[in-house]
Amino acid sequence: METVQERSRDVSTRLESHLRRHPALSDRIYRQLLIALHTRGIATVDAIHDEARTRAGRESRPNLDDPNRAERDRLDELDRVWLHELIREHVCRHFTVEDLDDLVNLTVKREEVYLIEDLATQREVSFRALSQQLQTFAALPEGETKLEQAEVLGTRVSLTRHFISDDLDYIGVAKKFLRVRDFAELTKRMVSTDKAVGKIGGKAGGMLLAYHILQQTESRAKPFLPVALPESYFIRSDLIEEFMRINRLGEWQNQKYKPIDQVANEYPLIKGVFRNGDFPVEIMQSLRRILAEVNTHPLIVRSSSLLEDRFGTAFSGKYASVFVANQGDLESRLHALLGAIAEVYASTLAPDPIQYRREHHLIDYQEDMAVIIQKVVGVQYRHYLLPLFAGVAFSRNEYRWTPRIRREDGLMRLVMGLGTRAVDRVGSDYPRMVALGAPTLRPESSALDIIRYSQRTVDVINLEANRFEAVRLTDLLDPSQPFPMLDRIVSVRREEGLYPPTSVLVEGDPSSLYITFDKLLSGGVFAPHVKDMLHRLEEAYGQPVDMEFASDGEMFYVLQCRPLSQAEQSQAVSIPSDVPEADVLFSADRYVRSGWVSGIEYIVYVDPVAYDRVETRERRVAIGRVVGRLNHVLPRRKFILIGPGRWGSNDIRLGVPVRYADIHHSRMLIEVARQKGGYVPEVSFGTHFFQDLVEARIDYLPLYPDAEGIRFNEGFFQQARNLLPDLLPEDADLQQEVRVIDVRAASRGRTLTVAMDGNSDRALAFLGA
């Protein structure tokens, strides 16, 4: 057993070793030891100072009577020699080697933190210098004693502002959760020149922050799968400026000031020019190293604009994200990767983000685009790579089809395969809509409805074809090769019913399988886990959030997190009961959200039957462009849009092909489902398209005119005079499909009101004063 003398000798030897290793910090080390002696009650600072003066031969007489004189004299040089000796004696007598190591480590960490903050606040700091300083800090032992949070908050703020964002709302949250060591890890994955000072942008910042919040906050639900981040690399935002400089693309910088129609017409040209641009040699070398590390695992190249995912401006779906299958030799893979990065760069000049920036008074902001290169989350099954499931989840639910669902419980859109089908309006598919407080409760009432409104097609990476593909579930599954967790994803159709598989092994014809996630959601673990994560994120952010995710069955990967734009909460709405039948234009009884829209003077009506008869893609695209022109011609917020199916779908057979820039001036958007046309609105709640509506304060309503008990005054829409030839003479040939109705002229000076009561799930549109 070690004696007191032996321990004292060991401490003295270790102290000498520390002082030799850190000679520039000797005064700070002694000061830290003195503070520890004082705070642990071993000897006060004043007592040790007085004894040092005494040993130096000076009388130590504290002045406790005269408030105008200093209480004690400053120590001189001789006093300081004795001070260090006294501190050494006390430390050797009372501390262990472990105590000493911890306190010295704390001193060194404090110094490194100060150096990091100093570098991070310099305007043109070398990336190499700051990164090396961070790595030096990260290599230090964490130790038992931590730096007080107040000591590191300034450094965290400086690093966040330097590497991620200067958005004060984001910084206010990030400084509580992003540690200095986290930035050391981040710099290892940054693609940067030594002189680059750009950031990693909003999408990357939101992803990192959400992960660290979830890692550091207490979980109140049993974890379903461990939370993780996909393997990612970050191209700093100012490298787009170097790309544009070496390719002489400066002429396009003023696109944002051009008329939006001109922006839209020139965008295909810009994409072609950017796609074939050259990159700096230094960046290409870094990208080669990344490709060597990830080998042939598929990648997704994602936008991460400085404006993206900010508080109040989400830019949902405005910029490009490009999947890269990443198969073949290194140079072929590099060629494809460069093209994807260039396409993301070009998307800063697309019409939607430019119009969005105008609406949010951000058009004069210097738009720099960072890029995330990310390994696609998934498993390999046959020659495909895909997540087992993916989706987007919201901490607040705007889609409540029964009073049993609470808004604060949240909503999830869940799909099999890549999450594109959860956030976009794709084809004729439907994600599984999950009310997180009642995950087994479905809006569909029968097995046939569940089958009709189920996902049939799965987005995957085809490794053999070297591309992103959409594959029918029946083509994806091979009965001879079990698919992981398939029993939790699908239900089996037998006669007129759907049943979860009875065992882990799912056997039978794939044509009898339908994606329901019934077993996954009925286990009482997955949905509560997602709900709990959203609650913790909302608590940290101080406002509702949405989170995109994917899983390979082993981990739950956070892909994105941002503040959630919320629709204004309407007061209770009472549907008038005394409206004359002749004044009713339509009624609705499904998926109604409370709201009161009044004073509508114009209706843009895209006839669902006429649209269904259109035979060419070109004419359907032209219809979407006409809607966009009307969006700029009609009085702002004084018109509504009514049309077939899924507005904004990438399948123009299912709805009018419009973008944000084509609808943002409207007051309301109504999607019509006619039995003959086959247009069934996939309820847009939770998609990027729906977030556009929320942020633009556009009310949304799905309409089923042929359903029992629903009123729809088709005669009004067909017989009212069509103003399209007057407003847009060059588009008069589309007046059969697109009708513009002056409500006042068609109703003897009245306007249109749409009353929506979400509590009773009823809506009524009527003419009134």
Side-chain angles (χ1 to χ4, degrees), residues 574-580 764:
S574 178
I575 304 294
S577 58
D578 57 351
V579 178
L764 187 72

Side-chain angles (χ1 to χ4, degrees), residues 373-384:
I373 301 171
Q374 199 167 72
K375 290 177 68 171
V376 174
V377 173
V379 298
Q380 184 172 343
Y381 176 75
R382 300 172 59 205
H383 54 280
Y384 302 112

Side-chain angles (χ1 to χ4, degrees), residues 212-229:
H212 287 290
I213 289 172
L214 294 175
Q215 286 290 302
Q216 295 174 39
T217 55
E218 179 185 358
S219 177
R220 290 180 278 277
K222 181 181 178 181
F224 172 67
L225 294 171
V227 175
L229 284 177

Side-chain angles (χ1 to χ4, degrees), residues 620-632:
R620 295 191 183 214
V621 170
I623 291 171
R625 289 176 179 168
V626 167
V627 172
R629 294 188 188 105
L630 291 170
N631 180 63
H632 295 282

